[in-house]
Amino acid sequence: MDFRLIHTLKLGLLALLAVVTFESLAGGSNASATPGTRVVAGKITEWQVPVPKFVRDPAIGRDGNVYFAVRSGDQIARFDPKLKLFQDWNVPVGTQPLGVVVARDGKVLFGGFGNGTIGELDPSTGKIKIYLIPSADSNPYTLVLDGEDNIWFTLRKVGKVARLERASGKITEYPIGDKPYSVALDQSGNVWVTRMAADRIVRLEPKTGKVTELLLGLGSHPRRTAVAPDGMLWVSLYGTGKLLKIDPTVSRVIKEYELPGGPNAGPYAVNADANGRIWVSEIQTDSVIMLDPRSEEIRIFKLPTKNTGIRNAAIDSEGLYWYVGSQAGKLGVIE
């Protein structure tokens, strides 16, 4: 595969602090570095992505680099925060990559929404390994890592969630209902999947195959999920402008938060930092919200670019919040 250095940005900014390596959270993550925490000043910096063809799904490697997908450009890209340097790798034409995660060994995994595959990129060599998903017309969407660096992912068109065992290449599929969207793993190893069109979140017990559903309210349209350090599950409700806190041990909603943007704000990406603060993007208000569940204090960060389109985000080991804007073609950080 082609490996090209395509762009260098030089900014008169201080370099970020050296990244400290951590082990992955038990609940799974889109990064090999556990999210950190810091006092947030609210400074926002953005960079124009060299190939702004529907960029999405940033993930942080142990080296502190930010990886993301260029879905309409059939590329996986990387940004070095220290050097302010972009690089990219071409993937097979028609892959439409998304759902990026970075394994502990530094390999970058992504879903091939356009060709029903899971791809594995080795950034050190540029080589790409392809895993073919058994179900035809499967459209893999959201990916997460488990504690053994295997990949769980949703299959939008066939109503399943699946697991890729990287050591053997085996893919196991589990039916869970129509149009699964986001996926997260709780601290007991159960798999939680939102079904946006059904206003539900589903719990799969992998050992038994048992599936149970939790109705989240008519018109709630749940999008993404995150597991906080205390084990609580957080879900964005795109349809009603709310954020839910779920106790996965009893499969019950224990708190509902109305977000600042109101019912039409479009809460989308959800992330938890090491301090238990929950970060939510409001895609319709061009804002990022930070909620501290302990104090219930809410902070609002207005993005500098209109129609940014944050569909996913990642928090690095220092606690910096990284996002890519699908509409705006921007990579940004809140610190």
Side-chain angles (χ1 to χ4, degrees), residues 107-326:
K107 304 290 179 57
V108 180
L109 285 296
F110 56 91
F113 186 81
N115 60 7
T117 63
I118 298 296
E120 180 179 292
L121 164 70
D122 184 345
S124 65
T125 64
K127 293 182 179 180
I128 295 177
K129 182 178 182 179
I130 300 295
Y131 301 90
L132 183 62
I133 297 169
S135 287
D137 199 23
S138 54
N139 297 116
Y141 201 77
T142 303
L143 282 66
V144 295
L145 294 162
D146 67 14
E148 298 178 352
D149 252 12
N150 296 316
I151 307 297
W152 285 88
F153 52 97
T154 52
L155 299 175
R156 287 285 297 275
K157 285 191 176 181
V158 295
K160 296 178 180 179
V161 65
R163 179 182 61 204
L164 165 64
E165 298 175 34
R166 293 179 63 212
S168 65
K170 179 183 177 182
I171 294 177
T172 306
E173 300 179 1
Y174 303 84
I176 59 164
D178 291 344
K179 297 181 180 179
Y181 193 83
S182 183
V183 59
L185 279 66
D186 68 24
Q187 293 180 350
S188 298
N190 296 312
V191 183
W192 292 80
V193 181
T194 57
R195 291 179 57 204
M196 187 176 68
D199 298 325
R200 288 168 165 79
I201 190 166
V202 174
R203 184 183 72 176
L204 166 70
E205 300 175 23
K207 292 182 179 179
T208 64
K210 181 181 178 181
V211 173
T212 55
E213 293 185 341
L214 180 62
L215 182 63
L216 301 180
L218 186 65
S220 58
H221 301 328
R223 289 273 188 172
R224 297 205 179 273
T225 59
V227 177
D230 63 359
M232 295 296 104
L233 182 71
W234 293 83
V235 185
S236 60
L237 301 185
Y238 187 87
T240 56
K242 296 179 180 180
L243 180 67
L244 290 187
K245 180 181 180 181
I246 296 175
D247 184 342
T249 62
V250 293
S251 298
R252 182 166 56 89
V253 176
I254 59 175
K255 188 80 174 182
E256 181 179 278
Y257 295 87
E258 293 187 4
L259 293 172
N264 298 317
Y268 212 120
V270 183
N271 298 83
D273 65 24
N275 212 26
R277 297 174 300 191
I278 309 303
W279 298 69
V280 188
S281 68
E282 287 187 348
I283 202 167
Q284 302 298 343
T285 67
D286 292 315
S287 302
V288 174
I289 311 303
M290 185 180 74
L291 165 70
D292 187 336
R294 292 172 297 183
S295 65
E296 299 198 340
E297 176 188 2
I298 288 178
R299 293 185 63 183
I300 304 171
F301 304 102
K302 293 294 293 184
L303 301 174
T305 303
K306 291 184 178 180
N307 197 26
T308 302
I310 300 175
R311 285 170 164 74
N312 216 338
I315 298 174
D316 70 15
S317 60
E318 293 180 38
L320 299 176
Y321 177 90
W322 290 91
Y323 63 88
V324 286
S326 298

Side-chain angles (χ1 to χ4, degrees), residues 41-58:
K43 178 183 177 182
I44 302 176
T45 306
E46 290 186 340
W47 297 266
Q48 182 66 52
V49 172
V51 183
K53 295 184 177 181
F54 210 71
V55 293
R56 53 180 299 153
D57 302 336

